[in-house]
Amino acid sequence: MTAHIISGKELAKNKREAMKQEVGQLKKTAISPKLVVVLVGDNPASISYIKGKQKGCEEVGIESQLIKLEATASEEELLSIIDQLNEDDTVDGILVQLPLPDHISEQKVIHRIVVEKDVDGFHPMNVGKMLLGEECFISCTPFGILEMVKSINVPIEGKHVVVIGRSNIVGKPVGQLFLNENATVTYTHSRTKDRASITKQADILIVAVGKPNLIGPDEVKEGAIVIDVGVNRLETGKLCGDVRFDEVKEKASYITPVPGGVGPMTITMLLHNTILSAKRRGAK
Ligand code: GUN
């Protein structure tokens, strides 16, 4: 079997076209969605991610503003900028790009963003609400993954979803999202014993580790749906996933590529959350 490719790029394009219409309609009612991205320092990966986010905003008509701080900026300085953005009625979404320099507490920063503008869905209140299945901002990468799986119209209920990785921004929340869809969810991570015996049971395998080419066909069940969240830059400058795409595609039924898979969908769900925030605020 050769797997069908779930193109995040294509799906993102379709969703963004619909969003563009929606933003056009909102602007007619004097609601103009705006996202502010804050970058501290000049991490090359962060700069590249931010460019993608700005381009996405432009595509659908969301106003975006980038606030750049020196790597030496103090925690107080960043927190005071967040306070100003929290108060600013023209701002619908606030995103502080991670990672932050070591002298700044990510936890303090994430807690400081008001829940209503936390379009990243990283605030503990949004994470908790997501876990409870309540209305909230769902963090963008897990949300994008769910949308990709839903796009192929294969029922999720009762499926065994195995997640490799347990980060706060991908692994942990993506498992919860699929649990909310009535999947049976198993987490594996760096301390898991005999990982392959578990991953080989997966109907849907979500790989979010950050190690190039970690997963080969020996860890995949015939016909599985494989979602590769890894974005690893090789020394050659080429991007590659956590999954050995060429080998695994011969065994899976569906697979996501890198690049052009989860990445474009993550940004698309950020745009979705920003529009949602603008609509909620406009409804008040
Ligand atoms: N760094 C890597 N991914 C993300 C993300 O989704 N949001 C933010 N704010 N920082 C990140």
Side-chain angles (χ1 to χ4, degrees):
M1 174 190 290
T2 298
H4 299 280
I5 293 173
I6 311 177
S7 167
K9 201 173 157 188
E10 275 299 303
L11 188 58
K13 190 167 153 246
N14 294 339
K15 285 194 180 292
R16 288 180 198 191
E17 268 161 24
M19 285 177 189
K20 191 175 169 183
Q21 304 296 325
E22 197 178 3
V23 171
Q25 290 301 322
L26 280 175
K27 284 183 176 170
K28 284 186 194 158
T29 64
I31 298 174
S32 183
K34 177 173 173 181
L35 173 71
V36 178
V37 176
V38 184
L39 171 67
V40 186
D42 53 7
N43 178 318
S46 291
I47 290 171
S48 154
Y49 287 140
I50 286 176
K51 276 192 186 143
K53 290 169 187 177
Q54 287 178 308
K55 190 171 152 274
C57 284
E58 201 177 313
E59 248 178 87
V60 306
I62 296 174
E63 186 187 340
S64 77
Q65 183 191 343
L66 173 62
I67 299 178
K68 265 175 148 172
L69 301 180
E70 297 289 328
T72 51
S74 67
E75 188 178 271
E76 289 89 298
E77 198 178 333
L78 177 56
L79 292 175
S80 118
I81 287 173
I82 293 173
D83 289 342
Q84 286 167 32
L85 296 171
N86 283 341
E87 291 291 320
D88 184 341
D89 278 340
T90 67
V91 175
D92 299 294
I94 304 169
L95 183 152
V96 178
Q97 187 65 31
L98 305 178
L100 289 169
D102 288 345
H103 66 277
I104 300 179
S105 156
E106 287 189 355
Q107 191 184 31
K108 251 194 203 166
V109 167
I110 289 169
H111 283 229
R112 192 72 156 242
I113 298 170
V114 288
V115 179
E116 295 79 11
K117 297 189 183 185
D118 170 42
V119 287
D120 249 334
F122 289 170
H123 190 286
M125 186 65 90
N126 278 318
V127 176
K129 286 186 171 187
M130 190 272 286
L131 185 127
L132 298 168
E134 293 180 18
E135 188 178 285
C136 63
F137 287 118
I138 299 172
S139 70
C140 307
T141 302
F143 198 2
I145 293 168
L146 181 62
E147 290 291 309
M148 289 177 93
V149 174
K150 283 187 172 172
S151 77
I152 60 175
N153 290 318
V154 171
I156 296 170
E157 181 166 311
K159 291 279 166 24
H160 190 182
V161 172
V162 176
V163 182
I164 313 182
R166 53 170 162 175
S167 68
N168 287 337
I169 66 175
V170 185
K172 277 184 209 169
V174 81
Q176 292 299 323
L177 265 191
F178 278 85
L179 184 63
N180 289 350
E181 298 290 325
N182 300 316
T184 302
V185 179
T186 306
Y187 288 95
T188 70
H189 48 78
S190 54
R191 313 285 167 90
T192 298
K193 295 197 174 78
D194 191 10
R195 185 179 65 211
S197 70
I198 300 165
T199 60
K200 271 164 44 187
Q201 296 173 38
D203 301 309
I204 302 173
L205 181 63
I206 300 172
V207 190
V209 179
K211 287 202 176 135
N213 300 315
L214 178 74
I215 302 299
D218 51 322
E219 293 206 50
V220 177
K221 182 169 84 169
E222 189 80 41
I225 297 165
V226 179
I227 309 290
D228 187 354
V229 191
V231 182
N232 309 291
R233 200 167 287 277
L234 300 175
E235 277 177 9
T236 58
K238 223 181 131 195
L239 282 186
C240 92
D242 292 349
V243 174
R244 301 209 288 276
F245 182 86
D246 288 338
E247 297 168 53
V248 172
K249 82 174 190 317
E250 300 306 323
K251 203 165 181 187
S253 59
Y254 289 89
I255 189 167
T256 66
V258 179
V262 175
M265 282 304 289
T266 293
I267 296 174
T268 303
M269 301 331 286
L270 172 69
L271 306 176
H272 169 95
N273 282 349
T274 305
I275 297 168
L276 181 64
S277 176
K279 283 200 287 197
R280 281 182 186 156
R281 286 153 46 72
K284 271 186 193 161

